[in-house]
Amino acid sequence: MEKMVIFGLGKELYGMDIFELKEIIRMAEITRIPKAPSFIEGVINLRGKIIPVIDLKKKLGIYGNENPEEKRILVTDVGGQTAGLVVDYVHEVADVEDKDIEPPPAVLEIEGRFIKGLAKMGERIVVLLKADEILSLKEKQELENLAKEGMQG
C-alpha cells in the first residue's frame, strides 16, 4: 500500500507518493526570472530559501480549468534540488493498494519516464508521477543554474 497525494491538473487527477513531498503550501508570490524555460514560473522565498517553481500543467502540456484560490505548490525534490510544483488543487491524501496500480502503457516508455503507474481508484484513473523524473537531464541543469542565479541576485 502506498500513501498518495492526489491533485488536479485541468480535469484530470494525478498522484504522487506522499514521501516524495516535503510540504504543500498555498500559492505564494512568484518572482519571474528572465530567460527561464517556459514551464518555470519563477522563484519563491520559502522561509529564507529561494526555490524554483515549475508549472506542472505547462510542463506536461495540460490545459483546462483553474481556480487561483485553490492552486497549491507541492514542495519536492527534483534532480537533487528543492523545487515547487504548481497544481490546480489538492484533492486528497489516499491509500492506494499495490494491486490497484498498473504500469504505464508501453507506448509511453520514452516520454513517460516520469509516470510511475496508473492507479484505479473506484471508477477513476489517477496518473501517478515520479517527482524526480518530471524534468529531463537538460531541464534539471537549467533548474540548477536558475537556482544559482536566484541566490546571487
Side-chain angles (χ1 to χ4, degrees):
M1 183 176 318
E2 296 189 42
K3 213 172 227 357
M4 297 283 175
V5 172
I6 310 297
F7 55 89
L9 296 173
K11 293 184 168 119
E12 305 301 323
L13 287 180
Y14 291 79
M16 199 174 283
D17 190 317
I18 197 158
F19 296 109
E20 286 191 71
L21 296 180
K22 295 180 179 195
E23 62 184 303
I24 300 170
I25 61 172
R26 290 187 179 279
M27 204 55 195
E29 188 167 329
I30 297 174
T31 303
R32 302 227 179 265
I33 302 290
K35 296 185 182 171
S38 63
F39 59 86
I40 304 234
E41 285 294 295
V43 294
I44 61 170
N45 181 344
L46 183 63
R47 291 183 297 282
K49 185 174 183 192
I50 302 293
I51 66 165
V53 176
I54 298 164
D55 185 323
L56 209 45
K57 281 173 52 176
K58 282 184 188 172
K59 175 63 186 121
L60 302 179
I62 297 169
Y63 306 93
N65 357 355
E66 329 188 332
N67 180 349
E69 288 82 51
E70 290 187 25
K71 281 190 167 203
R72 296 290 181 265
I73 298 174
L74 308 180
V75 180
T76 186
D77 199 56
V78 178
Q81 174 183 335
T82 300
L85 304 174
V86 176
V87 301
D88 285 344
Y89 61 93
V90 172
H91 183 63
E92 65 178 317
V93 174
D95 290 324
V96 180
E97 299 283 341
D98 294 336
K99 68 176 176 52
D100 292 331
I101 300 174
E102 292 190 13
V107 294
L108 296 176
E109 225 163 87
I110 295 169
E111 272 305 305
R113 69 184 182 286
F114 54 84
I115 298 177
K116 179 178 187 170
L118 303 172
K120 294 173 277 185
M121 296 180 71
E123 294 299 307
R124 301 206 64 171
I125 294 176
V126 176
V127 180
L128 303 178
L129 303 177
K130 295 185 263 186
D132 197 44
E133 298 291 328
I134 286 170
L135 300 183
S136 69
L137 192 57
K138 180 178 182 275
E139 291 167 339
K140 286 177 185 176
Q141 288 166 339
E142 288 175 339
L143 192 68
E144 199 175 311
N145 294 339
L146 196 68
K148 285 178 188 167
E149 287 172 24
M151 286 180 200
Q152 291 167 359

